[in-house]
Amino acid sequence: DAKSQSQRTFESVDISVAVATPTGLITPIVPSTQGLSLTDISAKVRDLATRARDNKLAPEEFQGGTFTISNLGMFGISEFSAVINPPQGAILAVGGGERKIVPGSVNVETGEKEKPRIQTTMTARLSADRRVVDEATAALFMGVLKEYMNQPKLMML
């Protein structure tokens, strides 16, 4: 809390999703995501985004939140940095996937080299308020996110 210079702990994970509207950017909130399935979250995001574009959100649906996800991949942006929306502690900037040539790995024991291959890669950058999330915690979060993105079946509830 900026006024009292104290840390607040939230009981729920309220995720904001950045939505472009004709009047500018707005971040509607999906409350209590820790208790929702991926399918439920997706449906709520779709509903909130539609109502945001139609200017039909109630103030409590876009004020507050604890964390934001901003995705510019659908606009052809492969990577970007996002600015934190107070009072939230962090924002994840998600770029679109790009096909890249990656070198093959080398088997250390045999010296065998794999052929280069084409792989789709995605960039995600975390901007965090250091008063809320320190660098070590941010690094752990990004490492876990990478594991989930590399093995999407882990996200199925």
Side-chain angles (χ1 to χ4, degrees), residues 79-145:
E79 59 183 280
F80 66 103
S81 297
V83 178
I84 303 165
N85 301 308
Q88 299 171 13
I91 184 167
L92 184 68
V94 180
E98 284 189 312
R99 294 175 54 85
K100 296 181 179 181
I101 298 173
V102 295
S105 59
V106 178
N107 184 322
V108 179
E109 293 176 12
T110 64
E112 274 186 42
K113 296 180 183 178
E114 291 181 354
K115 292 181 181 179
R117 64 190 189 288
I118 296 176
Q119 176 177 305
T120 301
T121 60
M122 179 199 82
T123 300
R125 290 191 178 161
L126 182 69
S127 299
D129 183 337
R130 192 181 191 290
R131 295 170 297 178
V132 179
V133 180
D134 64 27
E135 290 83 357
T137 303
L140 288 170
F141 170 81
M142 293 302 286
V144 171
L145 177 65

Coordinates of all heavy atoms in Angstrom, one line a residue, residues 79-145:
E79 N 7.7 -9.1 -29.5 CA 8.1 -8.8 -28.1 C 8.0 -7.4 -27.8 O 8.1 -6.5 -28.6 CB 9.6 -9.3 -27.9 CG 10.6 -8.7 -28.8 CD 12.0 -9.2 -28.5 OE1 12.6 -8.8 -27.5 OE2 12.4 -10.1 -29.3
F80 N 7.7 -7.1 -26.5 CA 7.6 -5.7 -26.0 C 7.7 -5.7 -24.5 O 7.7 -6.8 -23.9 CB 6.2 -5.1 -26.5 CG 5.0 -5.8 -25.8 CD1 4.3 -5.2 -24.8 CD2 4.5 -7.0 -26.3 CE1 3.2 -5.8 -24.2 CE2 3.4 -7.7 -25.7 CZ 2.7 -7.0 -24.7
S81 N 7.8 -4.6 -23.9 CA 7.8 -4.4 -22.5 C 6.5 -3.7 -22.1 O 6.1 -2.8 -22.8 CB 9.0 -3.6 -22.0 OG 10.2 -4.2 -22.4
A82 N 6.0 -4.1 -21.0 CA 4.7 -3.5 -20.5 C 4.9 -2.7 -19.2 O 5.8 -3.1 -18.4 CB 3.6 -4.5 -20.4
V83 N 4.1 -1.7 -19.0 CA 4.2 -0.9 -17.8 C 3.1 -1.4 -16.8 O 2.0 -1.7 -17.1 CB 4.0 0.6 -18.1 CG1 4.0 1.4 -16.9 CG2 5.0 1.0 -19.1
I84 N 3.6 -1.5 -15.5 CA 2.7 -2.0 -14.4 C 1.5 -1.0 -14.2 O 1.7 0.2 -14.2 CB 3.5 -2.2 -13.1 CG1 4.6 -3.1 -13.4 CG2 2.6 -2.7 -12.0 CD1 5.7 -3.1 -12.3
N85 N 0.3 -1.5 -14.0 CA -0.8 -0.7 -13.7 C -1.1 -0.8 -12.2 O -1.6 -1.8 -11.7 CB -2.1 -1.3 -14.4 CG -1.9 -1.3 -15.9 OD1 -1.6 -0.3 -16.5 ND2 -2.2 -2.5 -16.5
P86 N -0.7 0.3 -11.4 CA -1.0 0.2 -10.0 C -2.5 0.0 -9.7 O -3.3 0.5 -10.5 CB -0.5 1.6 -9.5 CG 0.5 2.0 -10.5 CD 0.0 1.5 -11.8
P87 N -2.9 -0.7 -8.7 CA -2.1 -1.2 -7.6 C -1.5 -2.6 -7.8 O -1.1 -3.3 -6.9 CB -3.2 -1.3 -6.5 CG -4.4 -1.7 -7.2 CD -4.3 -0.9 -8.6
Q88 N -1.5 -3.1 -9.1 CA -1.1 -4.4 -9.3 C 0.5 -4.5 -9.1 O 1.2 -3.5 -9.2 CB -1.4 -4.8 -10.8 CG -2.9 -4.8 -10.9 CD -3.4 -4.9 -12.3 OE1 -2.6 -5.3 -13.2 NE2 -4.7 -4.7 -12.6
G89 N 0.9 -5.7 -8.9 CA 2.3 -5.9 -8.6 C 3.2 -6.3 -9.8 O 4.4 -6.1 -9.7
A90 N 2.6 -6.7 -10.9 CA 3.4 -7.1 -12.0 C 2.5 -7.2 -13.3 O 1.3 -7.3 -13.2 CB 4.0 -8.4 -11.8
I91 N 3.2 -7.2 -14.4 CA 2.5 -7.4 -15.7 C 3.3 -8.2 -16.6 O 4.6 -8.1 -16.6 CB 2.2 -6.0 -16.4 CG1 1.4 -6.2 -17.7 CG2 3.4 -5.2 -16.6 CD1 0.7 -4.9 -18.2
L92 N 2.7 -9.2 -17.3 CA 3.4 -10.1 -18.2 C 3.1 -9.7 -19.6 O 1.9 -9.6 -20.0 CB 2.9 -11.5 -17.9 CG 3.6 -12.6 -18.8 CD1 5.1 -12.7 -18.4 CD2 2.9 -13.9 -18.6
A93 N 4.1 -9.3 -20.3 CA 4.0 -8.9 -21.7 C 4.2 -10.1 -22.6 O 5.3 -10.7 -22.6 CB 5.0 -7.8 -22.1
V94 N 3.2 -10.5 -23.4 CA 3.3 -11.8 -24.2 C 3.3 -11.4 -25.7 O 2.4 -10.7 -26.1 CB 2.1 -12.7 -23.9 CG1 2.2 -14.0 -24.7 CG2 2.1 -13.1 -22.4
G95 N 4.4 -11.8 -26.4 CA 4.5 -11.5 -27.8 C 4.0 -12.7 -28.6 O 3.7 -13.8 -28.0
G96 N 3.8 -12.5 -29.9 CA 3.4 -13.6 -30.7 C 4.5 -14.6 -31.0 O 5.7 -14.3 -30.9
G97 N 4.1 -15.8 -31.4 CA 5.1 -16.8 -31.8 C 5.7 -16.5 -33.1 O 5.1 -15.9 -34.0
E98 N 7.0 -16.8 -33.2 CA 7.8 -16.6 -34.4 C 8.5 -17.9 -34.7 O 9.1 -18.6 -33.8 CB 8.9 -15.6 -34.2 CG 8.4 -14.2 -34.2 CD 9.5 -13.2 -34.3 OE1 10.5 -13.3 -33.4 OE2 9.5 -12.3 -35.1
R99 N 8.5 -18.3 -36.0 CA 9.3 -19.4 -36.4 C 10.7 -19.1 -36.6 O 11.1 -18.1 -37.3 CB 8.7 -20.0 -37.7 CG 7.3 -20.5 -37.5 CD 6.6 -21.0 -38.7 NE 7.3 -22.0 -39.5 CZ 7.2 -23.3 -39.3 NH1 6.6 -23.8 -38.3 NH2 7.9 -24.1 -40.2
K100 N 11.6 -19.8 -36.0 CA 13.1 -19.5 -36.0 C 13.8 -20.8 -36.3 O 13.4 -21.9 -35.9 CB 13.6 -18.9 -34.7 CG 13.0 -17.6 -34.4 CD 13.5 -17.1 -33.1 CE 12.9 -15.7 -32.7 NZ 13.4 -15.2 -31.5
I101 N 15.0 -20.7 -36.9 CA 15.9 -21.8 -37.0 C 16.7 -21.9 -35.8 O 17.3 -21.0 -35.3 CB 16.8 -21.7 -38.3 CG1 15.9 -21.6 -39.5 CG2 17.8 -22.9 -38.3 CD1 16.7 -21.3 -40.8
V102 N 16.7 -23.1 -35.1 CA 17.5 -23.3 -33.9 C 18.5 -24.4 -34.2 O 18.2 -25.4 -34.9 CB 16.6 -23.7 -32.7 CG1 15.7 -22.5 -32.3 CG2 15.8 -24.9 -32.9
P103 N 19.7 -24.3 -33.7 CA 20.7 -25.3 -33.9 C 20.4 -26.6 -33.2 O 19.7 -26.6 -32.1 CB 22.0 -24.7 -33.3 CG 21.5 -23.7 -32.4 CD 20.2 -23.2 -32.8
G104 N 20.8 -27.7 -33.7 CA 20.6 -29.0 -33.1 C 21.5 -29.1 -31.9 O 22.6 -28.5 -31.8
S105 N 21.1 -29.9 -30.9 CA 21.9 -30.1 -29.8 C 23.0 -31.1 -30.1 O 23.0 -31.9 -31.1 CB 21.1 -30.6 -28.6 OG 20.5 -31.8 -28.9
V106 N 24.1 -31.2 -29.2 CA 25.2 -32.1 -29.4 C 25.2 -33.1 -28.2 O 25.1 -32.7 -27.0 CB 26.5 -31.3 -29.4 CG1 27.7 -32.2 -29.5 CG2 26.5 -30.3 -30.5
N107 N 25.2 -34.3 -28.5 CA 25.4 -35.4 -27.5 C 26.8 -35.3 -27.0 O 27.7 -35.6 -27.7 CB 25.0 -36.7 -28.1 CG 25.0 -37.8 -27.0 OD1 25.9 -37.8 -26.1 ND2 24.1 -38.7 -27.2
V108 N 27.0 -35.0 -25.7 CA 28.3 -34.8 -25.1 C 29.1 -36.1 -25.1 O 30.3 -36.1 -25.4 CB 28.2 -34.3 -23.7 CG1 29.6 -34.1 -23.0 CG2 27.4 -33.0 -23.7
E109 N 28.4 -37.2 -24.9 CA 29.1 -38.5 -24.8 C 29.6 -39.0 -26.2 O 30.7 -39.5 -26.3 CB 28.2 -39.5 -24.2 CG 28.0 -39.3 -22.7 CD 27.0 -40.2 -22.1 OE1 26.7 -41.3 -22.7 OE2 26.5 -40.0 -21.0
T110 N 28.7 -38.9 -27.2 CA 29.1 -39.4 -28.5 C 29.6 -38.4 -29.5 O 30.2 -38.7 -30.5 CB 27.8 -40.1 -29.2 OG1 26.8 -39.1 -29.4 CG2 27.3 -41.2 -28.3
G111 N 29.3 -37.1 -29.2 CA 29.7 -36.1 -30.1 C 28.8 -35.9 -31.3 O 29.0 -35.1 -32.2
E112 N 27.7 -36.7 -31.3 CA 26.7 -36.6 -32.4 C 26.0 -35.3 -32.4 O 25.6 -34.8 -31.3 CB 25.7 -37.8 -32.3 CG 26.1 -39.0 -33.0 CD 25.0 -40.0 -33.0 OE1 23.8 -39.7 -33.2 OE2 25.3 -41.2 -32.8
K113 N 25.8 -34.7 -33.6 CA 25.0 -33.4 -33.6 C 23.7 -33.7 -34.3 O 23.6 -34.4 -35.3 CB 25.8 -32.4 -34.5 CG 27.1 -32.0 -33.8 CD 27.9 -31.0 -34.7 CE 29.2 -30.7 -34.1 NZ 29.9 -29.7 -35.0
E114 N 22.6 -33.1 -33.7 CA 21.3 -33.1 -34.4 C 21.3 -32.0 -35.5 O 22.1 -31.0 -35.4 CB 20.2 -32.8 -33.4 CG 20.0 -33.9 -32.4 CD 18.9 -33.5 -31.4 OE1 18.4 -32.4 -31.5 OE2 18.5 -34.4 -30.6
K115 N 20.5 -32.2 -36.5 CA 20.3 -31.2 -37.5 C 19.6 -30.0 -37.0 O 18.7 -30.1 -36.1 CB 19.5 -31.7 -38.7 CG 20.3 -32.8 -39.4 CD 19.4 -33.3 -40.6 CE 20.1 -34.4 -41.3 NZ 19.3 -34.9 -42.5
P116 N 19.9 -28.8 -37.5 CA 19.1 -27.6 -37.1 C 17.6 -27.8 -37.5 O 17.3 -28.6 -38.4 CB 19.7 -26.5 -38.0 CG 21.0 -27.0 -38.4 CD 20.9 -28.5 -38.5
R117 N 16.7 -27.2 -36.7 CA 15.3 -27.4 -37.0 C 14.6 -26.1 -36.9 O 15.1 -25.1 -36.3 CB 14.7 -28.4 -36.0 CG 14.7 -28.0 -34.6 CD 14.4 -29.2 -33.6 NE 14.2 -28.7 -32.3 CZ 15.2 -28.4 -31.5 NH1 16.4 -28.4 -31.9 NH2 14.9 -28.0 -30.2
I118 N 13.4 -26.0 -37.4 CA 12.5 -24.8 -37.3 C 11.6 -25.0 -36.0 O 11.0 -26.1 -35.9 CB 11.7 -24.6 -38.5 CG1 12.6 -24.3 -39.7 CG2 10.7 -23.5 -38.3 CD1 11.9 -24.2 -41.0
Q119 N 11.6 -24.0 -35.2 CA 10.8 -24.0 -34.0 C 10.1 -22.7 -33.8 O 10.6 -21.7 -34.1 CB 11.8 -24.3 -32.8 CG 11.2 -24.3 -31.5 CD 12.3 -24.5 -30.4 OE1 13.0 -25.5 -30.5 NE2 12.5 -23.7 -29.5
T120 N 8.9 -22.8 -33.3 CA 8.1 -21.6 -33.0 C 8.5 -21.2 -31.6 O 8.3 -22.0 -30.6 CB 6.6 -21.8 -33.1 OG1 6.3 -22.3 -34.4 CG2 5.8 -20.6 -32.8
T121 N 8.9 -19.9 -31.4 CA 9.2 -19.4 -30.1 C 8.4 -18.2 -29.8 O 7.9 -17.5 -30.6 CB 10.7 -19.0 -30.0 OG1 11.0 -18.0 -31.0 CG2 11.6 -20.2 -30.3
M122 N 8.1 -18.0 -28.5 CA 7.3 -16.9 -28.0 C 8.1 -16.2 -26.9 O 8.8 -16.8 -26.2 CB 6.0 -17.5 -27.4 CG 5.1 -16.4 -26.8 SD 4.0 -17.1 -25.6 CE 5.0 -17.1 -24.2
T123 N 8.0 -14.9 -26.9 CA 8.7 -14.1 -25.9 C 7.7 -13.6 -24.9 O 6.6 -13.1 -25.2 CB 9.4 -12.9 -26.6 OG1 10.3 -13.3 -27.5 CG2 10.1 -12.0 -25.5
A124 N 8.1 -13.7 -23.6 CA 7.3 -13.2 -22.5 C 8.2 -12.4 -21.6 O 9.3 -12.9 -21.3 CB 6.6 -14.3 -21.7
R125 N 7.8 -11.2 -21.2 CA 8.6 -10.4 -20.3 C 7.8 -10.0 -19.1 O 6.6 -9.6 -19.3 CB 9.1 -9.1 -21.1 CG 10.1 -9.4 -22.1 CD 10.7 -8.1 -22.6 NE 11.7 -8.4 -23.6 CZ 12.2 -7.5 -24.4 NH1 11.7 -6.3 -24.4 NH2 13.1 -7.9 -25.3
L126 N 8.4 -10.1 -18.0 CA 7.7 -9.7 -16.7 C 8.3 -8.4 -16.2 O 9.5 -8.2 -16.1 CB 7.9 -10.8 -15.7 CG 7.2 -10.6 -14.3 CD1 5.7 -10.7 -14.5 CD2 7.8 -11.5 -13.3
S127 N 7.4 -7.4 -16.0 CA 7.7 -6.2 -15.3 C 7.1 -6.3 -14.0 O 5.9 -6.5 -13.8 CB 7.1 -5.0 -16.1 OG 7.7 -4.9 -17.4
A128 N 7.9 -6.1 -12.9 CA 7.4 -6.2 -11.6 C 7.8 -5.1 -10.7 O 8.9 -4.5 -10.8 CB 7.8 -7.6 -11.0
D129 N 6.9 -4.7 -9.7 CA 7.3 -3.7 -8.7 C 8.1 -4.4 -7.7 O 7.7 -5.3 -7.0 CB 6.0 -3.2 -8.1 CG 6.2 -2.1 -7.1 OD1 7.3 -2.0 -6.5 OD2 5.2 -1.4 -6.9
R130 N 9.4 -4.0 -7.6 CA 10.3 -4.7 -6.7 C 9.9 -4.7 -5.2 O 10.3 -5.5 -4.4 CB 11.7 -4.1 -6.8 CG 12.7 -5.0 -6.1 CD 14.1 -4.4 -6.2 NE 15.1 -5.3 -5.8 CZ 15.3 -5.7 -4.5 NH1 14.5 -5.3 -3.6 NH2 16.2 -6.6 -4.2
R131 N 9.0 -3.7 -4.9 CA 8.5 -3.7 -3.5 C 7.5 -4.9 -3.3 O 7.3 -5.2 -2.1 CB 7.8 -2.4 -3.2 CG 8.7 -1.2 -3.3 CD 7.9 0.1 -3.3 NE 7.0 0.2 -4.5 CZ 6.2 1.1 -4.8 NH1 6.1 2.2 -3.9 NH2 5.5 1.1 -5.9
V132 N 7.0 -5.5 -4.3 CA 6.1 -6.6 -4.2 C 6.7 -7.9 -4.6 O 6.5 -8.9 -4.0 CB 4.9 -6.3 -5.2 CG1 3.9 -7.4 -5.1 CG2 4.2 -5.0 -4.8
V133 N 7.5 -7.9 -5.7 CA 8.1 -9.1 -6.2 C 9.6 -8.9 -6.5 O 10.0 -8.1 -7.3 CB 7.4 -9.5 -7.6 CG1 8.1 -10.8 -8.1 CG2 5.9 -9.7 -7.5
D134 N 10.4 -9.6 -5.7 CA 11.9 -9.4 -5.9 C 12.4 -10.2 -7.1 O 11.6 -11.0 -7.7 CB 12.7 -9.7 -4.7 CG 12.6 -11.2 -4.3 OD1 12.4 -12.0 -5.1 OD2 12.8 -11.5 -3.1
E135 N 13.6 -9.9 -7.5 CA 14.1 -10.5 -8.7 C 14.1 -12.0 -8.7 O 13.9 -12.7 -9.7 CB 15.5 -10.0 -9.0 CG 15.6 -8.5 -9.5 CD 15.5 -7.5 -8.3 OE1 15.4 -8.0 -7.1 OE2 15.6 -6.3 -8.6
A136 N 14.5 -12.6 -7.5 CA 14.6 -14.1 -7.4 C 13.2 -14.7 -7.6 O 13.0 -15.7 -8.3 CB 15.2 -14.5 -6.0
T137 N 12.2 -14.1 -7.0 CA 10.8 -14.6 -7.1 C 10.3 -14.4 -8.6 O 9.7 -15.4 -9.1 CB 9.9 -13.9 -6.1 OG1 10.4 -14.0 -4.8 CG2 8.5 -14.4 -6.2
A138 N 10.6 -13.3 -9.2 CA 10.3 -13.1 -10.6 C 10.9 -14.2 -11.5 O 10.3 -14.7 -12.4 CB 10.7 -11.7 -11.0
A139 N 12.2 -14.5 -11.2 CA 12.9 -15.5 -12.0 C 12.3 -16.9 -11.8 O 12.1 -17.6 -12.8 CB 14.4 -15.5 -11.6
L140 N 11.9 -17.2 -10.6 CA 11.2 -18.5 -10.3 C 9.9 -18.6 -11.1 O 9.6 -19.6 -11.7 CB 11.0 -18.7 -8.9 CG 12.2 -19.0 -8.0 CD1 11.8 -18.9 -6.5 CD2 12.7 -20.4 -8.3
F141 N 9.1 -17.5 -11.1 CA 7.9 -17.4 -11.8 C 8.1 -17.6 -13.3 O 7.4 -18.4 -13.9 CB 7.2 -16.1 -11.6 CG 6.0 -15.8 -12.5 CD1 4.7 -16.4 -12.1 CD2 6.1 -15.1 -13.6 CE1 3.6 -16.2 -13.0 CE2 5.0 -14.9 -14.5 CZ 3.8 -15.5 -14.1
M142 N 9.0 -16.9 -13.9 CA 9.3 -17.1 -15.3 C 9.8 -18.5 -15.6 O 9.4 -19.0 -16.7 CB 10.3 -16.0 -15.8 CG 9.8 -14.6 -15.7 SD 8.3 -14.3 -16.7 CE 8.9 -14.3 -18.3
G143 N 10.5 -19.1 -14.8 CA 11.0 -20.5 -15.0 C 9.8 -21.5 -15.0 O 9.7 -22.3 -15.9
V144 N 8.9 -21.3 -14.1 CA 7.7 -22.1 -14.0 C 6.8 -21.9 -15.2 O 6.3 -22.8 -15.8 CB 6.9 -21.9 -12.7 CG1 5.6 -22.6 -12.7 CG2 7.7 -22.4 -11.5
L145 N 6.6 -20.6 -15.6 CA 5.9 -20.3 -16.8 C 6.4 -21.0 -18.0 O 5.7 -21.5 -18.9 CB 5.8 -18.8 -17.0 CG 5.1 -18.3 -18.3 CD1 3.6 -18.6 -18.2 CD2 5.3 -16.8 -18.5

